[in-house]
């Protein structure tokens, strides 16, 4: 994981973004978090270390990271965006009960982009697929009720 934070920081520096301790913390938290946190969750996690940091600061920095292409914003029709610093081609399985998002890889799906390109002539720039269901924790809980 370590290298990717450093690469991300280099990428930001080269695009003229000053790296503040807050930005470093937000990016590091995102890159080490597998849960696709919301801005509020990031705020709760980091505010003990950065008492002067507001949720607005976090949003502004997340916007910056999204624009720099370091972070993806995941919007699933609810009110709060989640943020994902894993930019490899991967997919999300989303629990309908608790909203948990789990990453998984399925390389054969890249063929979908090639097929779309062949069929439509589009220059394909990406795709998004989501799997919906009930996660293991919620499934187990439902079992006990």
């Amino acid at each position: 994981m370590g290298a990717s934070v450093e690469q991300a920081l280099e990428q930001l520096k080269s695009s003229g973004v000053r790296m503040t301790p807050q930005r470093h913390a937000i990016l590091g938290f995102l890159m080490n978090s597998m849960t696709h946190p919301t801005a509020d969750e990031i705020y709760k996690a980091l505010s003990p270390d950065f008492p002067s940091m507001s949720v607005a600061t976090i949003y502004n920095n997340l916007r910056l990271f999204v624009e720099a292409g370091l972070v993806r914003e995941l919007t699933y029709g609810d009110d709060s965006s989640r943020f994902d610093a894993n930019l490899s081609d991967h997919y999300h399985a989303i629990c309908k009960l608790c909203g948990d998002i789990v990453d998984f890889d399925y390389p054969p799906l890249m063929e979908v982009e090639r097929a779309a390109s062949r069929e439509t002539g589009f220059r394909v720039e990406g795709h998004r697929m989501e799997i919906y269901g009930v996660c293991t924790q919620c499934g187990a809980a439902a079992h006990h009720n």
Side-chain angles (χ1 to χ4, degrees), residues 27-127:
L27 201 55
F29 180 79
L30 263 180
M31 290 193 149
N32 294 316
S33 144
M34 296 307 343
T35 62
H36 311 85
T38 62
D40 282 340
E41 287 166 352
I42 299 172
Y43 172 71
K44 287 193 186 85
L46 298 180
S47 57
D49 298 327
F50 297 94
S52 65
M53 185 159 63
S54 66
V55 177
T57 307
I58 290 175
Y59 264 115
N60 295 339
N61 283 307
L62 289 168
R63 290 274 164 274
L64 194 82
F65 296 152
V66 170
E67 278 161 28
L70 293 179
V71 171
R72 262 198 292 231
E73 183 172 355
L74 310 174
T75 45
Y76 294 109
D78 57 3
D79 46 0
S80 54
S81 293
R82 290 171 170 273
F83 295 87
D84 184 2
N86 176 356
L87 293 179
S88 66
D89 284 303
H90 67 281
Y91 303 100
H92 295 126
I94 303 159
C95 178
K96 296 189 305 190
L97 301 180
C98 68
D100 225 12
I101 302 177
V102 180
D103 289 347
F104 68 97
D105 289 309
Y106 190 65
L109 267 176
M110 294 314 289
E111 184 51 43
V112 168
E113 292 194 3
R114 287 189 283 275
S117 181
R118 277 196 309 272
E119 300 280 321
T120 63
F122 272 50
R123 188 183 73 234
V124 175
E125 294 181 347
H127 69 272

